Amino acid sequence: MKSLNPEIDGVTGSESNPMSTADPNSNRIQFGDRSANTDPDPGHAVQDIYEQIFGEPWSESSAANKLPPTMQGFVQNAAKQPTEAVMNGFRPDRVPVYAELVKEFAVCDSWFASVPAATQPNRLYVHSATSYGMTNNDTGKLVGGLPQKTIFDSLDENGFSFGIYYQTLPITLFYRNLRKLKYIDNFHPFDSFKKHCKEGKLQNYVVIEPRYFDLLSNPANDDHPPHDVGEGQKLVKEVYEALRSSPQWKEILFVITYDEHGGFYDHVPTPVEGVPSPDDIVGPDPFKFKFDRLGVRVPAIIISPWIEPGKVLHNPLGPFPTSQYEHSSIAATVKKIYKLPQFLTKRDAWAATFDSLLTLSTPRTDCPEKLPEPAKLREVGAQEQAKLSEFQEELVQMAATLNGDHKKSIYPNKLVENMTALDAIKYIEDAFNTFLDECNKAKQSGVDGSQIVECADKNKSTPPNSKNFFQKLLSCIVCDP
């Protein structure tokens, strides 16, 4: 995007990484603009990211030395797969929806992942400003539900509404509190999104969840390798155009970002100083991570008719000298806009807010009504018979906790063994619909909506007029792995 606006701190093509950081004469791989379908995706676990940032493999002694972030270890870390994959990006014309939004609104060129770790820990930060000690995709903790307070809880406590529009299974259910019966009506199929936009009935805080499974009839649009990035562009276009045509358009602040960098190269050093642990929880062995540094930079586009076209959001000016833009900035900005009384953790109290972009005295009337048509960026079709990724397996396993299958002998390994994307999506949809139906029946029967659906060993009792299934459901939902 730097080619569209030189003010953006983007790649120029002069950047490179050595094949070996230990060899000063090592061949170097130059950064290019030939991004293509990538399968499998590059490493982005804690140890991979450490090597990418600091240029040497993780070890206790290396971590104790507090090396400077050189951003020179991407190629070395990717040595077991084609190294060119991590050293290429998309030209603006290949992602025309993003190119148009960057020209018309704002891009933040200093937004970092909240933690130098995998997908789910970073996603947890978006709505709760902590991963509650998780540095990897810990299936047991995820499917059982993380216990921390979320921005959803904070909004609800203060009289504000929220809505979660899902296309597969809402991964926001990895938060235990969102399994409260009173929140069931906050989940909506994505098909309802356009309708709510048209009617002007969007909630105060809205989350759009993409499709996570790749089917021929309904391709994935989450940009996760090997899914077609063109489908992700279609999703953003669809969401933007629905918002733009809504009577609520003048009230909209729309943020697009990614959970983490996926193992792909970036030249901007990740912040390693002055980052507060959100809750003083230390991660598990062997890393014992203290959550005191950020991950690699990720894309972030911010859209509103109150933003001047072509704005670039650089390093923040507060609220603390070391504050940065990261996923907790979303919760921090929501708190500021709605004047919520408390921060969630020390991290969102520290994170920079992006409301400073809203500088216009009146909303623009020249915002585009339509965005460019994206092109297909993957030559092959959806691989709906492919083996599930780790993330997709986690979604299946969470669905199993929603319908009680986690009590069966097939859980967890046999449940996902030999399961394809086609099998998984049918299983997940059936499980989630069963969960929603029975929760709604329970609410109608008088069950306290503030209760979390949880284990029977918590001495919860079900009202006599509740359905038998819900009595069973109370006894089988995992709450503490």
Side-chain angles (χ1 to χ4, degrees):
M1 295 296 170
K2 188 176 180 68
S3 63
L4 300 180
N5 184 347
E7 188 183 342
I8 297 172
D9 186 0
V11 288
T12 63
S14 63
E15 301 82 4
S16 65
N17 253 204
M19 295 291 291
S20 170
T21 58
D23 179 5
N25 299 314
S26 172
N27 290 333
R28 301 185 70 88
I29 302 295
Q30 207 77 15
F31 190 85
D33 60 5
R34 301 176 303 281
S35 272
N37 189 42
T38 303
D39 189 18
D41 53 328
H44 48 277
V46 174
Q47 64 273 24
D48 295 306
I49 300 173
Y50 184 91
E51 184 172 12
Q52 291 161 7
I53 291 174
F54 298 110
E56 63 179 57
W58 182 91
S59 66
E60 286 191 47
S61 59
S62 178
N65 288 335
K66 294 189 175 181
L67 301 171
T70 63
M71 313 305 283
Q72 290 293 296
F74 287 84
V75 168
Q76 176 175 284
N77 180 257
K80 294 180 181 179
Q81 55 183 308
T83 53
E84 289 80 3
V86 303
M87 296 298 291
N88 274 287
F90 288 107
R91 300 188 309 272
D93 63 291
R94 297 277 282 168
V95 282
V97 170
Y98 282 174
E100 183 74 2
L101 291 175
V102 166
K103 287 188 292 185
E104 288 289 343
F105 299 101
V107 62
C108 179
D109 64 359
S110 55
W111 188 298
F112 296 88
S114 298
V115 56
T119 298
Q120 295 308 333
N122 276 295
R123 292 193 178 206
L124 291 168
Y125 269 85
V126 173
H127 307 296
S128 68
T130 179
S131 64
Y132 206 72
M134 276 182 49
T135 54
N136 60 5
N137 297 336
D138 187 320
T139 302
K141 290 183 179 179
L142 288 168
V143 300
L146 276 295
Q148 64 263 38
K149 185 174 182 176
T150 68
I151 194 66
F152 304 108
D153 300 308
S154 187
L155 287 163
D156 182 70
E157 290 168 0
N158 291 280
F160 295 99
S161 60
F162 69 87
I164 298 166
Y165 295 84
Y166 62 92
Q167 299 181 65
T168 306
L169 177 70
I171 64 167
T172 39
L173 283 172
F174 283 139
Y175 298 111
R176 187 190 305 169
N177 277 359
L178 284 186
R179 301 178 189 182
K180 288 180 178 178
L181 291 178
K182 70 172 183 176
Y183 288 155
I184 292 301
D185 293 337
N186 295 78
F187 293 94
H188 308 277
F190 182 68
D191 290 346
S192 300
F193 176 71
K194 284 186 179 179
K195 179 175 181 289
H196 290 171
C197 283
K198 186 176 181 180
E199 295 172 348
K201 293 182 179 179
L202 288 179
Q203 304 82 358
N204 296 121
Y205 183 55
V206 172
V207 178
I208 305 291
E209 296 213 31
R211 288 191 297 269
Y212 302 114
F213 291 84
D214 207 22
L215 305 183
L216 289 168
S217 59
N218 225 5
N221 55 16
D222 62 349
D223 279 3
H224 192 290
H227 302 157
D228 187 352
V229 171
E231 294 294 333
Q233 293 282 284
K234 288 181 185 177
L235 172 62
V236 173
K237 172 182 168 68
E238 186 176 5
V239 171
Y240 171 84
E241 291 177 359
L243 294 174
R244 179 65 179 87
S245 63
S246 171
Q248 292 175 291
W249 168 243
K250 293 179 182 179
E251 306 166 32
I252 295 296
L253 180 61
F254 176 29
V255 181
I256 305 164
T257 190
Y258 287 72
D259 46 62
E260 35 84 11
H261 74 299
F264 296 96
Y265 170 78
D266 188 32
H267 67 289
V268 175
T270 182
V272 296
E273 299 290 344
V275 180
S277 168
D279 39 29
D280 299 321
I281 300 174
V282 177
D285 293 339
F287 307 110
K288 296 185 176 68
F289 188 64
K290 295 181 179 179
F291 300 91
D292 54 359
R293 56 185 174 86
L294 300 181
V296 178
R297 194 174 62 150
V298 294
I301 300 173
I302 305 167
I303 298 155
S304 174
W306 298 88
I307 297 175
E308 295 177 39
K311 292 288 288 185
V312 182
L313 192 60
H314 298 300
N315 295 327
L317 301 177
F320 295 90
T322 60
S323 291
Q324 298 285 349
Y325 297 109
E326 52 111 318
H327 300 326
S328 301
S329 294
I330 293 177
T333 303
V334 170
K335 178 191 179 298
K336 188 173 181 181
I337 288 174
Y338 293 122
K339 298 180 174 60
L340 303 178
Q342 293 178 316
F343 288 105
L344 298 171
T345 70
K346 288 182 285 186
R347 183 63 74 83
D348 61 315
W350 167 87
T353 61
F354 46 87
D355 55 300
S356 60
L357 285 169
L358 308 174
T359 57
L360 298 177
S361 57
T362 57
R364 290 166 53 194
T365 58
D366 62 344
C367 302
E369 295 183 5
K370 301 289 183 182
L371 295 178
E373 289 293 334
K376 185 178 178 64
L377 294 178
R378 182 178 63 181
E379 294 180 5
V380 298
Q383 304 297 304
E384 58 184 27
Q385 299 297 326
K387 184 179 177 181
L388 301 184
S389 68
E390 178 189 33
F391 170 56
Q392 291 170 334
E393 288 183 356
E394 289 162 2
L395 289 178
V396 172
Q397 289 160 355
M398 180 169 69
T401 71
L402 299 180
N403 69 356
D405 278 353
H406 76 288
K407 285 274 189 174
K408 299 178 181 178
S409 60
I410 61 171
Y411 184 87
N413 296 329
K414 288 185 179 179
L415 177 65
V416 296
E417 188 178 24
N418 300 321
M419 186 178 272
T420 66
L422 201 57
D423 300 328
I425 196 68
K426 185 179 187 309
Y427 178 86
I428 285 172
E429 288 177 349
D430 289 346
F432 188 52
N433 286 334
T434 298
F435 175 74
L436 292 177
D437 289 345
E438 297 305 327
C439 286
N440 284 322
K441 290 176 185 177
K443 285 179 64 178
Q444 293 167 10
S445 299
V447 175
D448 183 357
S450 67
Q451 297 300 311
I452 298 173
V453 183
E454 58 183 354
C455 298
D457 62 7
K458 297 297 183 184
N459 298 316
K460 299 287 183 186
S461 60
T462 310
N465 60 344
S466 293
K467 301 297 183 183
N468 289 335
F469 180 89
F470 195 70
Q471 294 175 355
K472 174 187 174 185
L473 199 63
L474 282 169
S475 70
C476 71
I477 296 297
V478 177
C479 62
D480 282 309

